[in-house]
Amino acid sequence: MPLMDPGKKWTIAALQNAINRGINLPTLLGPANGQYTIRAEDGVGTCILESPQESQADFVTFAFETGEIWAITTWPFKGHPKELFIGEIESMFCELLPRYSRFLDTLGIPPPYKWMAALAGTKGRELQYPVPPGRMRIPGLAGPKCASDNVPRTGPYEGSYDGKQSPINALVPFFDEVYNACGMERPEHLPR
């Protein structure tokens, strides 16, 4: 979202134009088959559905007329109800932060941008994290369990992104918070 209130609102047509200019407003999964445009009185977005008749989506990204973008997914938790795959979550967030930044830039909103991130439903899930190069995970060996149902516990983690810095550099404080909630430090072999 804009770091400061831009003092204006964008029309649905302007948001739709930004989506249609090839910038695209990807869901946290990225572009995929079954991606549909959704619209409401205060913005426009995209979602992924198996069929147009579905009423619930696992991936939704929505651009509000205020310049905020919200991206929500249940996918990382759906197929593995006892595990928390932090490596996949980090990859997803790092891939899409620059794309959301470009979307805001297309609207004429200059950087830096504010981001907020949180995970819900994490309590009791085993943290599955990337192992060091040349090593492999031992099947059946449990990872540390998350003790908190929400990461962070008190609301979303906030930071800023200038549109040029490495996304991992901007987001690593949030990722550190996820590891901490599971009782361990983020491994040294992971990028910073």
Side-chain angles (χ1 to χ4, degrees):
M1 68 183 69
L3 191 60
M4 306 286 215
D5 180 355
K8 73 178 252 183
K9 292 188 178 188
W10 284 263
T11 65
I12 301 298
L15 296 171
Q16 189 66 51
N17 266 344
I19 291 172
N20 291 336
R21 278 198 263 170
I23 299 299
N24 160 332
L25 188 59
T27 63
L28 283 173
L29 179 65
N33 291 338
Q35 185 164 315
Y36 294 88
T37 299
I38 53 176
R39 204 182 92 201
E41 65 183 40
D42 59 350
V44 65
T46 58
C47 67
I48 296 177
L49 300 170
E50 297 288 323
S51 73
Q53 293 76 31
E54 282 188 89
S55 61
Q56 293 184 345
D58 293 330
F59 305 91
V60 177
T61 303
F62 197 83
F64 289 90
E65 61 192 0
T66 59
E68 290 183 40
I69 300 170
W70 289 17
I72 302 167
T73 183
T74 59
W75 174 79
F77 297 144
K78 200 170 185 180
H80 300 274
K82 296 185 181 200
E83 297 167 308
L84 180 60
F85 290 96
I86 187 61
E88 287 78 2
I89 291 169
E90 286 189 17
S91 293
M92 203 184 317
F93 281 30
C94 288
E95 177 187 334
L96 291 170
L97 184 62
R99 293 178 72 183
Y100 296 142
S101 171
R102 283 193 302 277
F103 182 84
L104 294 175
D105 190 54
T106 299
L107 292 176
I109 302 171
Y113 306 111
K114 178 180 177 180
W115 59 264
M116 299 168 74
L119 298 175
T122 55
K123 187 171 188 166
R125 289 180 182 267
E126 292 178 5
L127 187 67
Q128 300 297 320
Y129 55 91
V131 296
R135 301 228 176 132
M136 62 181 238
R137 184 165 309 287
I138 299 171
L141 187 62
K145 287 191 178 183
C146 192
S148 176
D149 197 41
N150 297 306
V151 179
R153 289 178 304 202
T154 58
Y157 198 95
E158 297 181 17
S160 65
Y161 179 64
D162 66 10
K164 295 179 181 132
Q165 75 192 103
S166 157
I168 191 76
N169 183 267
L171 292 164
V172 81
F174 171 66
F175 301 147
D176 285 340
E177 186 76 21
V178 175
Y179 279 92
N180 184 52
C182 295
M184 70 176 283
E185 298 283 330
R186 189 168 179 270
E188 296 274 330
H189 68 275
L190 297 177
R192 291 222 165 248

